[in-house]
Amino acid sequence: MPGSKVFFHFRGHGASSSPETPWTYAALAGELDAVARRTGATRALGVSMGAGAICRLLQDDPARFERMVLVIPAVLDTPRRDEARERLLRMAELAEERDVEGVMQLLLEEQPAQVRARTDVRAWCRRQAEVVVATDVRRALRTIPQETAMTDRAALRAVTAPVLVLAQERDPAHPVPVAEQIADLIPDCRLEVLPPGGIMWQHRDRVRSLVGEFLG
């Protein structure tokens, strides 16, 4: 894709510090907005929690970006009451106990059954588990799964910029209906639902093509 690219690590991720303030989507949206303004970003791509942060920012400023990609959004304005939420809370307990193996196993169970034995999949789950246990992400696991990204999803109707939403089937942590709700609300929105495991492992070429074409 042409142009400058800025890779933003949310609080507690990468080398970013983590303030003592609560983990909320409003706080995450504020941090995203600060980095976007500092760098002059006109487009945005967010994955999971990042997609939620973009939605929250759009609630306050529907014209914030010229073009956006929302990848596997997890929640809008309805609190989660599903099995995936309970798994995240269990992961928080294991992280607080510094149980890397336990966190890794939960992450592995979230991956499609047909790829769990792959070396690269297991290595990714271990790296992620080590990050969760070693950083403030473990505190986020206590609060973010119980938060909503927005207070009123109807605010998305005011978004006029083009938006691409990517979802995948059989992903309980990122339900397809959430992506469908976004697509129904935003006037200029394209929804692509990939087969199970499509975002991370089995359809990466398709994801690259979709995002590259949309942002390029």
PDB file of all heavy atoms in Angstrom, residues 91 94-95 99-111 116 118-130 132-133:
ATOM      1  N   MET A  91      -8.559 -16.781  31.344  1.00  0.00           N
ATOM      2  CA  MET A  91      -7.212 -16.456  30.913  1.00  0.00           C
ATOM      3  C   MET A  91      -6.595 -15.408  31.835  1.00  0.00           C
ATOM      4  O   MET A  91      -5.403 -15.452  32.138  1.00  0.00           O
ATOM      5  CB  MET A  91      -7.226 -15.947  29.473  1.00  0.00           C
ATOM      6  CG  MET A  91      -5.843 -15.831  28.837  1.00  0.00           C
ATOM      7  SD  MET A  91      -5.914 -15.222  27.128  1.00  0.00           S
ATOM      8  CE  MET A  91      -6.887 -16.524  26.351  1.00  0.00           C
ATOM      9  N   LEU A  94      -5.294 -17.178  34.893  1.00  0.00           N
ATOM     10  CA  LEU A  94      -4.053 -17.905  34.602  1.00  0.00           C
ATOM     11  C   LEU A  94      -2.885 -16.941  34.422  1.00  0.00           C
ATOM     12  O   LEU A  94      -1.765 -17.227  34.849  1.00  0.00           O
ATOM     13  CB  LEU A  94      -4.231 -18.748  33.341  1.00  0.00           C
ATOM     14  CG  LEU A  94      -5.227 -19.923  33.463  1.00  0.00           C
ATOM     15  CD1 LEU A  94      -5.483 -20.531  32.101  1.00  0.00           C
ATOM     16  CD2 LEU A  94      -4.709 -20.965  34.432  1.00  0.00           C
ATOM     17  N   ALA A  95      -3.151 -15.792  33.800  1.00  0.00           N
ATOM     18  CA  ALA A  95      -2.095 -14.807  33.592  1.00  0.00           C
ATOM     19  C   ALA A  95      -1.596 -14.247  34.923  1.00  0.00           C
ATOM     20  O   ALA A  95      -0.393 -14.043  35.118  1.00  0.00           O
ATOM     21  CB  ALA A  95      -2.595 -13.683  32.697  1.00  0.00           C
ATOM     22  N   ASP A  99       0.915 -18.394  34.567  1.00  0.00           N
ATOM     23  CA  ASP A  99       0.828 -19.730  33.987  1.00  0.00           C
ATOM     24  C   ASP A  99       0.867 -19.621  32.460  1.00  0.00           C
ATOM     25  O   ASP A  99      -0.174 -19.556  31.790  1.00  0.00           O
ATOM     26  CB  ASP A  99      -0.468 -20.403  34.447  1.00  0.00           C
ATOM     27  CG  ASP A  99      -0.569 -21.851  33.998  1.00  0.00           C
ATOM     28  OD1 ASP A  99       0.235 -22.280  33.147  1.00  0.00           O
ATOM     29  OD2 ASP A  99      -1.478 -22.558  34.489  1.00  0.00           O
ATOM     30  N   VAL A 100       2.072 -19.606  31.901  1.00  0.00           N
ATOM     31  CA  VAL A 100       2.230 -19.468  30.456  1.00  0.00           C
ATOM     32  C   VAL A 100       1.590 -20.637  29.719  1.00  0.00           C
ATOM     33  O   VAL A 100       0.905 -20.456  28.704  1.00  0.00           O
ATOM     34  CB  VAL A 100       3.724 -19.344  30.076  1.00  0.00           C
ATOM     35  CG1 VAL A 100       3.897 -19.353  28.561  1.00  0.00           C
ATOM     36  CG2 VAL A 100       4.317 -18.072  30.665  1.00  0.00           C
ATOM     37  N   GLU A 101       1.806 -21.853  30.221  1.00  0.00           N
ATOM     38  CA  GLU A 101       1.263 -23.036  29.553  1.00  0.00           C
ATOM     39  C   GLU A 101      -0.262 -23.004  29.536  1.00  0.00           C
ATOM     40  O   GLU A 101      -0.894 -23.371  28.538  1.00  0.00           O
ATOM     41  CB  GLU A 101       1.758 -24.303  30.246  1.00  0.00           C
ATOM     42  CG  GLU A 101       3.248 -24.564  30.070  1.00  0.00           C
ATOM     43  CD  GLU A 101       3.639 -24.765  28.620  1.00  0.00           C
ATOM     44  OE1 GLU A 101       2.821 -25.342  27.873  1.00  0.00           O
ATOM     45  OE2 GLU A 101       4.743 -24.360  28.239  1.00  0.00           O
ATOM     46  N   GLY A 102      -0.856 -22.573  30.654  1.00  0.00           N
ATOM     47  CA  GLY A 102      -2.311 -22.510  30.723  1.00  0.00           C
ATOM     48  C   GLY A 102      -2.891 -21.496  29.754  1.00  0.00           C
ATOM     49  O   GLY A 102      -3.886 -21.756  29.067  1.00  0.00           O
ATOM     50  N   VAL A 103      -2.266 -20.328  29.684  1.00  0.00           N
ATOM     51  CA  VAL A 103      -2.718 -19.293  28.756  1.00  0.00           C
ATOM     52  C   VAL A 103      -2.528 -19.773  27.314  1.00  0.00           C
ATOM     53  O   VAL A 103      -3.407 -19.589  26.463  1.00  0.00           O
ATOM     54  CB  VAL A 103      -1.961 -17.971  28.988  1.00  0.00           C
ATOM     55  CG1 VAL A 103      -2.312 -16.960  27.900  1.00  0.00           C
ATOM     56  CG2 VAL A 103      -2.295 -17.402  30.357  1.00  0.00           C
ATOM     57  N   MET A 104      -1.405 -20.405  27.054  1.00  0.00           N
ATOM     58  CA  MET A 104      -1.149 -20.920  25.707  1.00  0.00           C
ATOM     59  C   MET A 104      -2.229 -21.913  25.298  1.00  0.00           C
ATOM     60  O   MET A 104      -2.717 -21.898  24.156  1.00  0.00           O
ATOM     61  CB  MET A 104       0.222 -21.588  25.650  1.00  0.00           C
ATOM     62  CG  MET A 104       0.514 -22.237  24.297  1.00  0.00           C
ATOM     63  SD  MET A 104       2.047 -23.195  24.316  1.00  0.00           S
ATOM     64  CE  MET A 104       1.907 -24.060  22.733  1.00  0.00           C
ATOM     65  N   GLN A 105      -2.617 -22.790  26.206  1.00  0.00           N
ATOM     66  CA  GLN A 105      -3.620 -23.788  25.879  1.00  0.00           C
ATOM     67  C   GLN A 105      -4.959 -23.139  25.544  1.00  0.00           C
ATOM     68  O   GLN A 105      -5.641 -23.555  24.599  1.00  0.00           O
ATOM     69  CB  GLN A 105      -3.792 -24.766  27.047  1.00  0.00           C
ATOM     70  CG  GLN A 105      -4.686 -25.951  26.736  1.00  0.00           C
ATOM     71  CD  GLN A 105      -4.198 -26.777  25.560  1.00  0.00           C
ATOM     72  OE1 GLN A 105      -3.002 -27.014  25.415  1.00  0.00           O
ATOM     73  NE2 GLN A 105      -5.110 -27.228  24.713  1.00  0.00           N
ATOM     74  N   LEU A 106      -5.337 -22.110  26.294  1.00  0.00           N
ATOM     75  CA  LEU A 106      -6.589 -21.413  25.999  1.00  0.00           C
ATOM     76  C   LEU A 106      -6.524 -20.731  24.635  1.00  0.00           C
ATOM     77  O   LEU A 106      -7.492 -20.756  23.866  1.00  0.00           O
ATOM     78  CB  LEU A 106      -6.888 -20.386  27.081  1.00  0.00           C
ATOM     79  CG  LEU A 106      -7.424 -20.927  28.406  1.00  0.00           C
ATOM     80  CD1 LEU A 106      -7.669 -19.792  29.383  1.00  0.00           C
ATOM     81  CD2 LEU A 106      -8.721 -21.710  28.190  1.00  0.00           C
ATOM     82  N   LEU A 107      -5.387 -20.124  24.326  1.00  0.00           N
ATOM     83  CA  LEU A 107      -5.223 -19.482  23.025  1.00  0.00           C
ATOM     84  C   LEU A 107      -5.278 -20.512  21.902  1.00  0.00           C
ATOM     85  O   LEU A 107      -5.873 -20.263  20.840  1.00  0.00           O
ATOM     86  CB  LEU A 107      -3.890 -18.735  22.975  1.00  0.00           C
ATOM     87  CG  LEU A 107      -3.804 -17.456  23.815  1.00  0.00           C
ATOM     88  CD1 LEU A 107      -2.370 -16.950  23.866  1.00  0.00           C
ATOM     89  CD2 LEU A 107      -4.729 -16.379  23.253  1.00  0.00           C
ATOM     90  N   LEU A 108      -4.684 -21.672  22.143  1.00  0.00           N
ATOM     91  CA  LEU A 108      -4.676 -22.724  21.131  1.00  0.00           C
ATOM     92  C   LEU A 108      -6.096 -23.232  20.872  1.00  0.00           C
ATOM     93  O   LEU A 108      -6.465 -23.511  19.727  1.00  0.00           O
ATOM     94  CB  LEU A 108      -3.772 -23.864  21.593  1.00  0.00           C
ATOM     95  CG  LEU A 108      -3.328 -24.888  20.544  1.00  0.00           C
ATOM     96  CD1 LEU A 108      -2.567 -24.210  19.415  1.00  0.00           C
ATOM     97  CD2 LEU A 108      -2.476 -25.969  21.201  1.00  0.00           C
ATOM     98  N   GLU A 109      -6.890 -23.332  21.929  1.00  0.00           N
ATOM     99  CA  GLU A 109      -8.260 -23.797  21.777  1.00  0.00           C
ATOM    100  C   GLU A 109      -9.115 -22.834  20.959  1.00  0.00           C
ATOM    101  O   GLU A 109     -10.152 -23.227  20.403  1.00  0.00           O
ATOM    102  CB  GLU A 109      -8.892 -24.005  23.163  1.00  0.00           C
ATOM    103  CG  GLU A 109      -8.313 -25.185  23.920  1.00  0.00           C
ATOM    104  CD  GLU A 109      -8.804 -25.252  25.355  1.00  0.00           C
ATOM    105  OE1 GLU A 109      -9.647 -24.402  25.725  1.00  0.00           O
ATOM    106  OE2 GLU A 109      -8.354 -26.139  26.101  1.00  0.00           O
ATOM    107  N   GLU A 110      -8.700 -21.568  20.892  1.00  0.00           N
ATOM    108  CA  GLU A 110      -9.443 -20.582  20.110  1.00  0.00           C
ATOM    109  C   GLU A 110      -9.154 -20.700  18.618  1.00  0.00           C
ATOM    110  O   GLU A 110      -9.884 -20.134  17.796  1.00  0.00           O
ATOM    111  CB  GLU A 110      -9.096 -19.168  20.580  1.00  0.00           C
ATOM    112  CG  GLU A 110      -9.606 -18.844  21.979  1.00  0.00           C
ATOM    113  CD  GLU A 110      -9.210 -17.451  22.418  1.00  0.00           C
ATOM    114  OE1 GLU A 110      -8.486 -16.762  21.659  1.00  0.00           O
ATOM    115  OE2 GLU A 110      -9.620 -17.031  23.512  1.00  0.00           O
ATOM    116  N   GLN A 111      -8.088 -21.416  18.255  1.00  0.00           N
ATOM    117  CA  GLN A 111      -7.725 -21.559  16.848  1.00  0.00           C
ATOM    118  C   GLN A 111      -8.526 -22.712  16.219  1.00  0.00           C
ATOM    119  O   GLN A 111      -8.956 -23.622  16.920  1.00  0.00           O
ATOM    120  CB  GLN A 111      -6.224 -21.811  16.709  1.00  0.00           C
ATOM    121  CG  GLN A 111      -5.338 -20.851  17.475  1.00  0.00           C
ATOM    122  CD  GLN A 111      -5.711 -19.401  17.288  1.00  0.00           C
ATOM    123  OE1 GLN A 111      -5.882 -18.937  16.162  1.00  0.00           O
ATOM    124  NE2 GLN A 111      -5.829 -18.661  18.395  1.00  0.00           N
ATOM    125  N   ARG A 116      -4.390 -26.507  14.757  1.00  0.00           N
ATOM    126  CA  ARG A 116      -3.807 -26.470  16.107  1.00  0.00           C
ATOM    127  C   ARG A 116      -2.496 -27.235  16.223  1.00  0.00           C
ATOM    128  O   ARG A 116      -1.676 -26.915  17.082  1.00  0.00           O
ATOM    129  CB  ARG A 116      -4.814 -27.019  17.123  1.00  0.00           C
ATOM    130  CG  ARG A 116      -5.999 -26.107  17.353  1.00  0.00           C
ATOM    131  CD  ARG A 116      -7.018 -26.729  18.278  1.00  0.00           C
ATOM    132  NE  ARG A 116      -8.264 -25.974  18.261  1.00  0.00           N
ATOM    133  CZ  ARG A 116      -9.414 -26.421  18.765  1.00  0.00           C
ATOM    134  NH1 ARG A 116      -9.463 -27.626  19.321  1.00  0.00           N
ATOM    135  NH2 ARG A 116     -10.505 -25.669  18.700  1.00  0.00           N
ATOM    136  N   ARG A 118      -0.164 -27.339  13.945  1.00  0.00           N
ATOM    137  CA  ARG A 118       0.890 -26.720  13.154  1.00  0.00           C
ATOM    138  C   ARG A 118       1.925 -26.043  14.049  1.00  0.00           C
ATOM    139  O   ARG A 118       1.585 -25.412  15.056  1.00  0.00           O
ATOM    140  CB  ARG A 118       0.284 -25.694  12.188  1.00  0.00           C
ATOM    141  CG  ARG A 118      -0.318 -26.326  10.962  1.00  0.00           C
ATOM    142  CD  ARG A 118      -1.068 -25.366  10.074  1.00  0.00           C
ATOM    143  NE  ARG A 118      -0.456 -24.053   9.933  1.00  0.00           N
ATOM    144  CZ  ARG A 118      -0.939 -23.104   9.129  1.00  0.00           C
ATOM    145  NH1 ARG A 118      -2.033 -23.342   8.408  1.00  0.00           N
ATOM    146  NH2 ARG A 118      -0.360 -21.933   9.056  1.00  0.00           N
ATOM    147  N   THR A 119       3.180 -26.173  13.664  1.00  0.00           N
ATOM    148  CA  THR A 119       4.269 -25.601  14.454  1.00  0.00           C
ATOM    149  C   THR A 119       4.153 -24.091  14.566  1.00  0.00           C
ATOM    150  O   THR A 119       4.357 -23.516  15.643  1.00  0.00           O
ATOM    151  CB  THR A 119       5.629 -25.967  13.823  1.00  0.00           C
ATOM    152  OG1 THR A 119       5.738 -27.391  13.755  1.00  0.00           O
ATOM    153  CG2 THR A 119       6.778 -25.419  14.652  1.00  0.00           C
ATOM    154  N   ASP A 120       3.817 -23.417  13.447  1.00  0.00           N
ATOM    155  CA  ASP A 120       3.738 -21.959  13.484  1.00  0.00           C
ATOM    156  C   ASP A 120       2.584 -21.483  14.345  1.00  0.00           C
ATOM    157  O   ASP A 120       2.678 -20.459  15.028  1.00  0.00           O
ATOM    158  CB  ASP A 120       3.635 -21.382  12.071  1.00  0.00           C
ATOM    159  CG  ASP A 120       2.435 -21.920  11.311  1.00  0.00           C
ATOM    160  OD1 ASP A 120       1.926 -23.007  11.655  1.00  0.00           O
ATOM    161  OD2 ASP A 120       2.014 -21.254  10.332  1.00  0.00           O
ATOM    162  N   VAL A 121       1.484 -22.238  14.356  1.00  0.00           N
ATOM    163  CA  VAL A 121       0.331 -21.870  15.179  1.00  0.00           C
ATOM    164  C   VAL A 121       0.673 -22.003  16.664  1.00  0.00           C
ATOM    165  O   VAL A 121       0.391 -21.109  17.472  1.00  0.00           O
ATOM    166  CB  VAL A 121      -0.895 -22.742  14.826  1.00  0.00           C
ATOM    167  CG1 VAL A 121      -2.055 -22.444  15.769  1.00  0.00           C
ATOM    168  CG2 VAL A 121      -1.309 -22.495  13.375  1.00  0.00           C
ATOM    169  N   ARG A 122       1.298 -23.103  17.023  1.00  0.00           N
ATOM    170  CA  ARG A 122       1.674 -23.327  18.419  1.00  0.00           C
ATOM    171  C   ARG A 122       2.724 -22.299  18.879  1.00  0.00           C
ATOM    172  O   ARG A 122       2.664 -21.801  20.010  1.00  0.00           O
ATOM    173  CB  ARG A 122       2.187 -24.750  18.607  1.00  0.00           C
ATOM    174  CG  ARG A 122       1.142 -25.823  18.316  1.00  0.00           C
ATOM    175  CD  ARG A 122       1.668 -27.218  18.619  1.00  0.00           C
ATOM    176  NE  ARG A 122       1.866 -27.396  20.053  1.00  0.00           N
ATOM    177  CZ  ARG A 122       0.918 -27.785  20.898  1.00  0.00           C
ATOM    178  NH1 ARG A 122      -0.311 -28.020  20.455  1.00  0.00           N
ATOM    179  NH2 ARG A 122       1.185 -27.952  22.169  1.00  0.00           N
ATOM    180  N   ALA A 123       3.658 -21.967  17.983  1.00  0.00           N
ATOM    181  CA  ALA A 123       4.674 -20.973  18.330  1.00  0.00           C
ATOM    182  C   ALA A 123       4.039 -19.606  18.547  1.00  0.00           C
ATOM    183  O   ALA A 123       4.412 -18.871  19.473  1.00  0.00           O
ATOM    184  CB  ALA A 123       5.726 -20.903  17.229  1.00  0.00           C
ATOM    185  N   TRP A 124       3.070 -19.254  17.711  1.00  0.00           N
ATOM    186  CA  TRP A 124       2.373 -17.967  17.872  1.00  0.00           C
ATOM    187  C   TRP A 124       1.621 -17.925  19.202  1.00  0.00           C
ATOM    188  O   TRP A 124       1.674 -16.923  19.924  1.00  0.00           O
ATOM    189  CB  TRP A 124       1.412 -17.754  16.704  1.00  0.00           C
ATOM    190  CG  TRP A 124       0.659 -16.455  16.795  1.00  0.00           C
ATOM    191  CD1 TRP A 124       1.065 -15.238  16.355  1.00  0.00           C
ATOM    192  CD2 TRP A 124      -0.638 -16.262  17.375  1.00  0.00           C
ATOM    193  NE1 TRP A 124       0.108 -14.294  16.635  1.00  0.00           N
ATOM    194  CE2 TRP A 124      -0.946 -14.897  17.259  1.00  0.00           C
ATOM    195  CE3 TRP A 124      -1.564 -17.113  17.984  1.00  0.00           C
ATOM    196  CZ2 TRP A 124      -2.150 -14.351  17.721  1.00  0.00           C
ATOM    197  CZ3 TRP A 124      -2.756 -16.578  18.453  1.00  0.00           C
ATOM    198  CH2 TRP A 124      -3.045 -15.217  18.316  1.00  0.00           C
ATOM    199  N   CYS A 125       0.933 -19.010  19.527  1.00  0.00           N
ATOM    200  CA  CYS A 125       0.181 -19.063  20.787  1.00  0.00           C
ATOM    201  C   CYS A 125       1.113 -18.931  21.993  1.00  0.00           C
ATOM    202  O   CYS A 125       0.784 -18.263  22.975  1.00  0.00           O
ATOM    203  CB  CYS A 125      -0.628 -20.354  20.869  1.00  0.00           C
ATOM    204  SG  CYS A 125      -2.045 -20.403  19.744  1.00  0.00           S
ATOM    205  N   ARG A 126       2.278 -19.555  21.917  1.00  0.00           N
ATOM    206  CA  ARG A 126       3.236 -19.442  23.023  1.00  0.00           C
ATOM    207  C   ARG A 126       3.751 -18.009  23.156  1.00  0.00           C
ATOM    208  O   ARG A 126       3.831 -17.479  24.268  1.00  0.00           O
ATOM    209  CB  ARG A 126       4.408 -20.409  22.843  1.00  0.00           C
ATOM    210  CG  ARG A 126       5.550 -20.192  23.852  1.00  0.00           C
ATOM    211  CD  ARG A 126       6.462 -21.355  23.955  1.00  0.00           C
ATOM    212  NE  ARG A 126       5.868 -22.441  24.720  1.00  0.00           N
ATOM    213  CZ  ARG A 126       5.821 -22.479  26.046  1.00  0.00           C
ATOM    214  NH1 ARG A 126       6.319 -21.488  26.760  1.00  0.00           N
ATOM    215  NH2 ARG A 126       5.280 -23.495  26.670  1.00  0.00           N
ATOM    216  N   ARG A 127       4.094 -17.376  22.039  1.00  0.00           N
ATOM    217  CA  ARG A 127       4.580 -15.991  22.101  1.00  0.00           C
ATOM    218  C   ARG A 127       3.509 -15.075  22.684  1.00  0.00           C
ATOM    219  O   ARG A 127       3.804 -14.214  23.515  1.00  0.00           O
ATOM    220  CB  ARG A 127       4.986 -15.504  20.706  1.00  0.00           C
ATOM    221  CG  ARG A 127       6.277 -16.103  20.178  1.00  0.00           C
ATOM    222  CD  ARG A 127       6.815 -15.304  19.004  1.00  0.00           C
ATOM    223  NE  ARG A 127       5.842 -15.211  17.918  1.00  0.00           N
ATOM    224  CZ  ARG A 127       5.734 -16.098  16.928  1.00  0.00           C
ATOM    225  NH1 ARG A 127       6.533 -17.160  16.905  1.00  0.00           N
ATOM    226  NH2 ARG A 127       4.840 -15.934  15.973  1.00  0.00           N
ATOM    227  N   GLN A 128       2.273 -15.272  22.251  1.00  0.00           N
ATOM    228  CA  GLN A 128       1.182 -14.449  22.771  1.00  0.00           C
ATOM    229  C   GLN A 128       0.980 -14.682  24.262  1.00  0.00           C
ATOM    230  O   GLN A 128       0.745 -13.749  25.030  1.00  0.00           O
ATOM    231  CB  GLN A 128      -0.109 -14.758  22.014  1.00  0.00           C
ATOM    232  CG  GLN A 128      -0.110 -14.321  20.565  1.00  0.00           C
ATOM    233  CD  GLN A 128       0.016 -12.817  20.416  1.00  0.00           C
ATOM    234  OE1 GLN A 128       1.072 -12.304  20.054  1.00  0.00           O
ATOM    235  NE2 GLN A 128      -1.031 -12.105  20.703  1.00  0.00           N
ATOM    236  N   ALA A 129       1.067 -15.936  24.679  1.00  0.00           N
ATOM    237  CA  ALA A 129       0.902 -16.269  26.095  1.00  0.00           C
ATOM    238  C   ALA A 129       1.987 -15.605  26.932  1.00  0.00           C
ATOM    239  O   ALA A 129       1.717 -15.089  28.028  1.00  0.00           O
ATOM    240  CB  ALA A 129       0.931 -17.783  26.282  1.00  0.00           C
ATOM    241  N   GLU A 130       3.209 -15.613  26.441  1.00  0.00           N
ATOM    242  CA  GLU A 130       4.310 -14.982  27.173  1.00  0.00           C
ATOM    243  C   GLU A 130       4.088 -13.485  27.313  1.00  0.00           C
ATOM    244  O   GLU A 130       4.392 -12.890  28.357  1.00  0.00           O
ATOM    245  CB  GLU A 130       5.627 -15.275  26.461  1.00  0.00           C
ATOM    246  CG  GLU A 130       6.046 -16.749  26.573  1.00  0.00           C
ATOM    247  CD  GLU A 130       7.218 -17.103  25.686  1.00  0.00           C
ATOM    248  OE1 GLU A 130       7.579 -16.257  24.818  1.00  0.00           O
ATOM    249  OE2 GLU A 130       7.765 -18.211  25.829  1.00  0.00           O
ATOM    250  N   VAL A 132       1.086 -11.937  27.292  1.00  0.00           N
ATOM    251  CA  VAL A 132      -0.040 -11.736  28.214  1.00  0.00           C
ATOM    252  C   VAL A 132       0.413 -11.835  29.666  1.00  0.00           C
ATOM    253  O   VAL A 132       0.054 -11.013  30.510  1.00  0.00           O
ATOM    254  CB  VAL A 132      -1.149 -12.774  27.926  1.00  0.00           C
ATOM    255  CG1 VAL A 132      -2.180 -12.781  29.045  1.00  0.00           C
ATOM    256  CG2 VAL A 132      -1.816 -12.461  26.590  1.00  0.00           C
ATOM    257  N   VAL A 133       1.213 -12.851  29.958  1.00  0.00           N
ATOM    258  CA  VAL A 133       1.653 -13.082  31.337  1.00  0.00           C
ATOM    259  C   VAL A 133       2.619 -11.998  31.816  1.00  0.00           C
ATOM    260  O   VAL A 133       2.597 -11.601  32.991  1.00  0.00           O
ATOM    261  CB  VAL A 133       2.305 -14.480  31.442  1.00  0.00           C
ATOM    262  CG1 VAL A 133       3.035 -14.648  32.771  1.00  0.00           C
ATOM    263  CG2 VAL A 133       1.235 -15.563  31.296  1.00  0.00           C
TER     264      VAL A 133
END
